[in-house]
Amino acid sequence: SMKMGVRNRVWADMEARGLVNNAPLEGRIPSFNGAAQACMQFVKLPEFQAARCIKIHPSLAASTLRILVLQHGKTLLTPPLPGHDYLYQLLDPEVLTPAQYRHAGSRAGFMRYGRAVTSLRDLPRVDLV
């Protein structure tokens, strides 16, 4: 597919530049040097500032972004890891303490602190993906 072709070119370029923290890249979203800095820039975007509910994938590279979403008081939706039968984990920053945000943004944390969303009726409006 065209999407896979683009991914393969990006992954090859990242590997050639030494930007990858976890190899092999195939079949996953890689953690890369500068991921945290990219997340810090992302939260400055007007689209992020205006969003109330944000969907972020469960990859290691996005862990800083998941934490920042909670720190900015926004609802976080994360798709389940393989083997689960629900639609999303929902994390509401209002039911967490600020001290819990860092752990809640991790894979283990969103499984612990999140609420499984099993029905489209229970899914909040997503403002940013």
Side-chain angles (χ1 to χ4, degrees), residues 22 27-31 56-64 66-67 70 76 78-82 84 86 89-91 100-115:
N22 59 343
R28 61 205 263 166
I29 298 169
S31 178
I56 301 176
H57 54 83
S59 73
L60 181 60
S63 58
T64 298
R66 290 190 299 271
I67 295 164
L70 296 171
L76 172 63
T78 302
L81 298 170
H84 293 87
Y86 52 87
Q89 281 286 26
L90 183 144
L91 286 105
Q100 293 172 318
Y101 292 164
R102 180 165 296 283
H103 187 243
S106 71
R107 286 182 181 185
F110 63 72
M111 296 298 293
R112 176 179 177 189
Y113 297 110
R115 175 178 59 84

Coordinates of all heavy atoms in Angstrom, one line a residue, residues 22 27-31 56-64 66-67 70 76 78-82 84 86 89-91 100-115:
N22 N 14.5 2.2 19.3 CA 14.1 0.8 19.4 C 14.0 0.2 18.0 O 13.2 0.6 17.2 CB 12.8 0.6 20.2 CG 11.6 1.4 19.6 OD1 11.8 2.3 18.7 ND2 10.4 1.1 19.9
G27 N 6.4 -2.7 11.7 CA 5.2 -3.1 12.5 C 5.0 -2.3 13.7 O 4.1 -2.7 14.5
R28 N 5.7 -1.2 13.9 CA 5.5 -0.4 15.2 C 5.8 1.0 14.9 O 6.4 1.4 13.9 CB 6.4 -1.0 16.3 CG 7.8 -0.9 16.0 CD 8.7 -1.9 16.7 NE 9.3 -1.3 17.9 CZ 9.9 -2.0 18.8 NH1 9.9 -3.3 18.7 NH2 10.4 -1.5 19.8
I29 N 5.3 1.8 15.9 CA 5.7 3.3 15.8 C 6.9 3.4 16.7 O 6.9 3.1 17.8 CB 4.5 4.1 16.4 CG1 3.3 3.9 15.6 CG2 4.9 5.6 16.5 CD1 2.0 4.5 16.2
P30 N 8.0 3.8 16.0 CA 9.3 3.8 16.7 C 9.4 5.0 17.7 O 8.9 6.1 17.6 CB 10.3 4.0 15.6 CG 9.6 4.8 14.6 CD 8.2 4.3 14.7
S31 N 10.2 4.7 18.8 CA 10.6 5.7 19.7 C 11.9 6.3 19.0 O 12.7 5.6 18.4 CB 11.0 5.2 21.1 OG 11.5 6.2 21.9
I56 N -4.6 9.5 21.4 CA -3.2 9.3 21.2 C -2.9 7.8 21.2 O -3.3 7.1 22.2 CB -2.3 10.0 22.2 CG1 -2.6 11.5 22.1 CG2 -0.8 9.8 22.0 CD1 -1.9 12.3 23.2
H57 N -2.1 7.3 20.3 CA -1.8 5.9 20.2 C -0.9 5.5 21.4 O -0.3 6.3 22.1 CB -1.1 5.6 18.9 CG 0.1 6.4 18.6 ND1 1.4 6.2 19.1 CD2 0.2 7.6 17.9 CE1 2.2 7.2 18.7 NE2 1.5 8.0 18.0
P58 N -0.8 4.2 21.7 CA -0.1 3.7 22.9 C 1.4 3.5 22.8 O 2.0 2.8 23.6 CB -0.8 2.4 23.3 CG -1.3 1.9 22.0 CD -1.7 3.1 21.1
S59 N 2.0 4.1 21.8 CA 3.4 3.9 21.5 C 4.3 4.6 22.5 O 3.9 5.6 23.2 CB 3.8 4.4 20.1 OG 3.8 5.8 20.1
L60 N 5.5 4.1 22.7 CA 6.5 4.7 23.6 C 6.8 6.1 23.2 O 6.9 7.0 24.0 CB 7.7 3.8 23.6 CG 8.9 4.2 24.5 CD1 8.4 4.3 26.0 CD2 10.1 3.3 24.4
A61 N 6.9 6.4 21.9 CA 7.2 7.7 21.4 C 6.2 8.7 21.9 O 6.5 9.9 22.0 CB 7.4 7.7 19.9
A62 N 5.0 8.3 22.1 CA 3.9 9.3 22.5 C 3.7 9.4 24.0 O 2.8 10.1 24.4 CB 2.6 8.9 21.8
S63 N 4.5 8.7 24.8 CA 4.2 8.7 26.2 C 4.3 10.1 26.8 O 3.5 10.5 27.6 CB 5.2 7.8 27.0 OG 6.5 8.1 26.7
T64 N 5.3 11.0 26.4 CA 5.4 12.3 26.8 C 4.1 13.1 26.4 O 3.6 13.9 27.3 CB 6.6 13.0 26.3 OG1 7.8 12.3 26.7 CG2 6.7 14.5 26.7
R66 N 1.1 11.9 26.0 CA -0.1 11.5 26.8 C 0.0 12.2 28.2 O -1.0 12.7 28.7 CB -0.1 10.0 27.0 CG -0.4 9.3 25.7 CD -0.7 7.8 25.9 NE 0.5 7.1 26.4 CZ 1.4 6.5 25.7 NH1 1.4 6.6 24.3 NH2 2.4 5.9 26.2
I67 N 1.2 12.3 28.7 CA 1.3 13.0 30.0 C 0.9 14.5 29.9 O 0.2 15.1 30.7 CB 2.7 12.9 30.6 CG1 3.0 11.4 30.9 CG2 3.0 13.7 31.8 CD1 4.5 11.1 31.0
L70 N -2.8 15.2 29.8 CA -3.4 15.2 31.1 C -3.0 16.5 31.9 O -3.8 17.1 32.6 CB -3.0 13.9 31.9 CG -3.5 12.6 31.3 CD1 -2.8 11.4 32.0 CD2 -5.0 12.5 31.4
L76 N -8.0 12.2 27.7 CA -7.1 11.4 26.9 C -7.8 10.1 26.5 O -8.3 9.4 27.4 CB -5.8 11.0 27.6 CG -4.9 10.0 27.0 CD1 -4.3 10.6 25.7 CD2 -3.7 9.8 28.0
T78 N -7.0 6.5 24.5 CA -5.9 5.6 24.0 C -6.5 4.3 23.5 O -7.2 3.7 24.2 CB -4.9 5.4 25.1 OG1 -4.4 6.6 25.5 CG2 -3.7 4.6 24.5
P79 N -6.2 3.9 22.3 CA -6.7 2.6 21.8 C -6.1 1.5 22.6 O -5.0 1.6 23.2 CB -6.1 2.5 20.3 CG -5.7 3.9 20.0 CD -5.4 4.6 21.2
P80 N -6.8 0.4 22.7 CA -6.3 -0.7 23.5 C -5.1 -1.4 22.9 O -4.8 -1.3 21.7 CB -7.4 -1.7 23.6 CG -8.2 -1.4 22.3 CD -8.0 0.1 22.1
L81 N -4.3 -2.0 23.8 CA -3.2 -2.8 23.3 C -3.8 -4.1 22.8 O -4.9 -4.5 23.1 CB -2.3 -3.1 24.5 CG -1.6 -1.9 25.1 CD1 -0.9 -2.3 26.4 CD2 -0.6 -1.3 24.2
P82 N -3.1 -4.9 22.0 CA -3.6 -6.1 21.4 C -4.1 -7.0 22.5 O -3.5 -7.1 23.6 CB -2.4 -6.7 20.7 CG -1.5 -5.5 20.3 CD -1.7 -4.6 21.5
H84 N -7.3 -6.9 23.8 CA -8.4 -6.3 24.6 C -9.6 -6.2 23.7 O -9.5 -6.0 22.5 CB -7.9 -5.0 25.2 CG -6.9 -5.2 26.2 ND1 -5.5 -5.2 25.9 CD2 -6.9 -5.4 27.6 CE1 -4.8 -5.4 27.0 NE2 -5.7 -5.5 28.0
Y86 N -12.2 -3.8 24.0 CA -12.9 -2.5 24.1 C -12.4 -1.6 23.1 O -11.4 -1.8 22.4 CB -12.8 -2.0 25.5 CG -11.4 -1.9 26.1 CD1 -10.6 -0.8 25.8 CD2 -10.8 -2.9 26.8 CE1 -9.3 -0.7 26.2 CE2 -9.5 -2.8 27.2 CZ -8.8 -1.7 27.0 OH -7.5 -1.6 27.4
Q89 N -9.3 3.3 26.1 CA -9.1 3.7 27.5 C -9.3 5.2 27.6 O -8.7 5.9 26.8 CB -7.7 3.3 28.0 CG -7.5 1.9 28.3 CD -8.2 1.4 29.6 OE1 -9.2 2.0 30.0 NE2 -7.7 0.4 30.2
L90 N -10.2 5.6 28.5 CA -10.4 7.0 28.7 C -9.8 7.4 30.0 O -10.1 6.8 31.0 CB -11.9 7.3 28.7 CG -12.3 8.8 28.8 CD1 -13.6 9.0 28.0 CD2 -12.6 9.2 30.2
L91 N -9.0 8.5 29.9 CA -8.4 9.0 31.2 C -8.9 10.5 31.3 O -8.7 11.3 30.4 CB -6.9 9.0 31.1 CG -6.3 7.6 31.3 CD1 -5.8 7.1 30.0 CD2 -5.2 7.7 32.3
Q100 N -0.4 11.7 39.6 CA -0.6 10.4 38.9 C -0.5 10.6 37.4 O -0.5 9.6 36.7 CB -2.1 10.0 39.2 CG -2.3 9.5 40.6 CD -3.7 9.3 40.9 OE1 -4.6 10.0 40.5 NE2 -4.0 8.2 41.7
Y101 N -0.4 11.8 36.9 CA -0.3 12.0 35.4 C 0.8 11.2 34.8 O 0.6 10.6 33.7 CB -0.2 13.5 35.1 CG -1.4 14.3 35.4 CD1 -1.3 15.7 35.5 CD2 -2.7 13.8 35.7 CE1 -2.4 16.5 35.8 CE2 -3.7 14.6 36.0 CZ -3.6 16.0 36.0 OH -4.7 16.8 36.3
R102 N 2.0 11.3 35.3 CA 3.1 10.7 34.7 C 2.9 9.1 34.5 O 3.1 8.6 33.5 CB 4.4 10.9 35.4 CG 5.6 10.3 34.8 CD 6.9 10.8 35.3 NE 7.2 12.2 35.0 CZ 7.5 12.7 33.9 NH1 7.7 11.9 32.9 NH2 7.7 14.0 33.7
H103 N 2.4 8.5 35.6 CA 2.2 7.1 35.5 C 1.0 6.8 34.6 O 1.0 5.8 33.8 CB 2.0 6.5 36.9 CG 1.9 5.0 36.9 ND1 0.8 4.3 37.3 CD2 2.8 4.0 36.4 CE1 1.0 3.0 37.1 NE2 2.2 2.8 36.6
A104 N 0.0 7.6 34.7 CA -1.2 7.4 33.9 C -0.9 7.5 32.4 O -1.6 6.9 31.6 CB -2.3 8.4 34.3
G105 N 0.1 8.3 32.0 CA 0.5 8.4 30.6 C 1.2 7.2 30.1 O 1.4 7.1 28.9
S106 N 1.7 6.3 31.0 CA 2.4 5.1 30.5 C 1.4 4.0 30.2 O 0.3 4.1 30.5 CB 3.3 4.6 31.7 OG 2.6 4.1 32.7
R107 N 1.9 3.0 29.5 CA 1.1 1.9 29.1 C 0.4 1.2 30.3 O -0.8 1.0 30.4 CB 1.8 0.8 28.3 CG 2.2 1.3 26.9 CD 2.9 0.2 26.2 NE 3.2 0.6 24.8 CZ 3.8 -0.2 24.0 NH1 4.1 -1.4 24.3 NH2 4.0 0.3 22.8
A108 N 1.2 1.0 31.3 CA 0.7 0.3 32.5 C -0.3 1.3 33.2 O -1.3 0.9 33.8 CB 1.8 -0.1 33.5
G109 N 0.0 2.6 33.2 CA -0.8 3.6 33.9 C -2.2 3.8 33.2 O -3.2 3.9 33.9
F110 N -2.2 3.9 31.9 CA -3.5 4.1 31.3 C -4.4 2.8 31.5 O -5.6 2.9 31.5 CB -3.5 4.7 29.9 CG -2.9 3.9 28.8 CD1 -3.5 2.8 28.3 CD2 -1.7 4.3 28.2 CE1 -2.9 2.1 27.2 CE2 -1.1 3.6 27.2 CZ -1.7 2.5 26.7
M111 N -3.8 1.7 31.6 CA -4.5 0.5 31.9 C -5.1 0.5 33.3 O -6.2 0.1 33.6 CB -3.7 -0.8 31.6 CG -3.3 -1.0 30.2 SD -4.6 -1.2 29.1 CE -5.3 -2.8 29.6
R112 N -4.3 1.1 34.2 CA -4.7 1.1 35.6 C -5.7 2.2 35.9 O -6.7 2.0 36.6 CB -3.4 1.3 36.5 CG -3.7 1.5 38.0 CD -2.5 1.6 38.8 NE -2.9 1.8 40.2 CZ -2.0 2.2 41.1 NH1 -0.8 2.3 40.8 NH2 -2.5 2.4 42.3
Y113 N -5.4 3.4 35.4 CA -6.2 4.6 35.8 C -7.4 4.9 34.8 O -8.3 5.6 35.0 CB -5.4 5.8 35.9 CG -4.4 5.8 37.0 CD1 -3.0 5.7 36.7 CD2 -4.7 5.8 38.3 CE1 -2.0 5.6 37.7 CE2 -3.8 5.8 39.3 CZ -2.4 5.7 39.0 OH -1.5 5.6 40.0
G114 N -7.3 4.3 33.6 CA -8.3 4.5 32.5 C -9.5 3.8 32.7 O -9.6 2.8 33.5
R115 N -10.6 4.2 32.1 CA -11.8 3.5 32.1 C -12.1 3.0 30.7 O -11.9 3.7 29.7 CB -13.0 4.5 32.4 CG -14.4 3.9 32.3 CD -15.4 4.9 32.7 NE -15.5 6.1 32.0 CZ -16.1 6.3 30.8 NH1 -16.7 5.3 30.3 NH2 -16.1 7.5 30.2

